[in-house]
Amino acid sequence: MTILVIGATGRVGRHVVEQLVARDAKVRVLTRDASKANFPIDVEVVQGEILDLASLRNAFKGIRTLFLLNAVTGDEFTQAIITLNIAREAGVERVVYLSVIHADRFVNVPHFAVKSGAEQMLKQMEFSATILRPSYFIDNEVMIKDVVLDHGVYPMPIGGRGVAMVDARDIAEVAAIELVRRDQAPGKLPVETINLVGPDTLTGDGVAAIWTEVLGRPIVYGGDDPSGFEQNMATLMPTWTAYEMRLMAERYVSDGMIPEDGDVDRLVKILGRPLHSYRETAASLATRN
């Protein structure tokens, strides 16, 4: 049977497709623009989008297992619920869903609340689902590397409680392992939730210290002011998105994104290797133009 990947063109989704192909899985992706998909030749590409129900239904033909990653958009919840309903309509019950860590606690942050709702749907409709709950993506640091390199400031207000940042490659490989496991299972498996975290729980000052060591010159932490962060983000994205980022940053500062006991060991066991570290990404970004 074929595994359908929705959300295949982003930082995580592309890695999921690569990991599935490496495991000899039969893969189909749904994308708005097939000409820009640029996937391996063995990957089947279906052009369409979630809210175009004809193309969505077409994408589900012959599918047994679904990977669902919804982008953070104003209609994210509608997209998630529609997709899961069409999946059920098509007879698909095996799902790996990309949620977010603390989705059930950070309910004032819109995309956390959305993912919490989708998690509840997966459980109440009795899907055979793995719910993946990643922490803050290390890969997000691409957006702020110029501030670090050019101004000597680490600008993300992540606070002092600690954020266990996770690499997109680790997220994707766990997702692929779970997709294959569920797809090949002889019967329905119970719902399982996996926190996806990095090997280190980092504070703002701790991240600045890593950059200082990597660059060999002082980098300072910009502080815990989410309002200033919102103002900066509003120059790069819609104001509602910038406000949502502020709400998330406020929860970084007040609560952190802290793993549960055993999360790191569990991931190392699943992957059979160490997790990618923040320092590794910082060193890589420091060498790029």
Side-chain angles (χ1 to χ4, degrees), residues 40-258:
I41 193 169
D42 292 338
V43 174
E44 181 184 358
V45 178
V46 174
Q47 185 161 323
E49 53 187 290
I50 289 173
L51 297 183
D52 175 1
L53 295 194
S55 64
L56 184 62
R57 286 189 170 105
N58 183 52
F60 271 109
K61 292 179 180 177
I63 295 297
R64 178 164 65 188
T65 304
L66 167 67
F67 175 74
L68 179 57
L69 186 165
N70 290 113
V72 177
T73 63
D75 58 5
E76 179 184 357
F77 196 36
T78 299
Q79 291 192 34
I81 300 308
I82 289 292
T83 302
L84 293 175
N85 273 298
I86 297 298
R88 175 51 56 87
E89 175 186 296
V92 174
E93 61 179 18
R94 304 173 188 215
V95 179
V96 174
Y97 175 65
L98 194 72
S99 182
V100 64
I101 198 169
H102 307 327
D104 53 339
R105 290 167 43 197
F106 293 4
V107 293
N108 67 307
V109 183
H111 71 278
F112 283 62
V114 164
K115 290 173 169 59
S116 180
E119 288 184 11
Q120 292 306 309
M121 181 176 178
L122 287 164
K123 293 172 183 176
Q124 291 185 23
M125 295 186 70
E126 298 183 343
F127 280 92
S128 174
T130 298
I131 296 167
L132 300 178
R133 285 182 156 190
S135 181
Y136 178 97
F137 290 10
I138 294 176
D139 309 68
N140 289 341
E141 305 300 74
V142 171
M143 297 185 295
I144 54 87
K145 76 177 181 70
D146 290 341
V147 179
V148 176
L149 299 179
D150 297 339
H151 302 285
V153 176
Y154 178 71
M156 291 297 297
I158 63 172
R161 297 295 303 276
V163 176
M165 299 187 194
V166 61
D167 192 288
R169 292 168 293 180
D170 293 337
I171 296 171
E173 189 168 348
V174 173
I177 290 168
E178 283 298 300
L179 284 162
V180 170
R181 182 174 76 92
R182 289 197 177 266
D183 190 64
Q184 294 181 350
K188 189 173 180 180
L189 300 175
V191 174
E192 186 173 357
T193 300
I194 301 174
N195 287 337
L196 298 176
V197 297
D200 307 302
T201 300
L202 302 167
T203 64
D205 288 330
V207 171
I210 291 174
W211 279 105
T212 296
E213 293 175 10
V214 167
L215 296 174
R217 56 185 170 88
I219 303 297
V220 299
Y221 174 49
D224 296 346
D225 180 14
S227 63
F229 174 66
E230 178 191 358
Q231 293 170 12
N232 290 331
M233 290 297 99
T235 66
L236 305 172
M237 59 186 63
T239 54
W240 72 265
T241 309
Y243 180 63
E244 178 162 352
M245 296 301 102
R246 170 187 175 163
L247 293 173
M248 182 170 62
E250 288 175 346
R251 299 307 294 262
Y252 294 158
V253 172
S254 64
D255 297 78
M257 282 187 160
I258 300 170

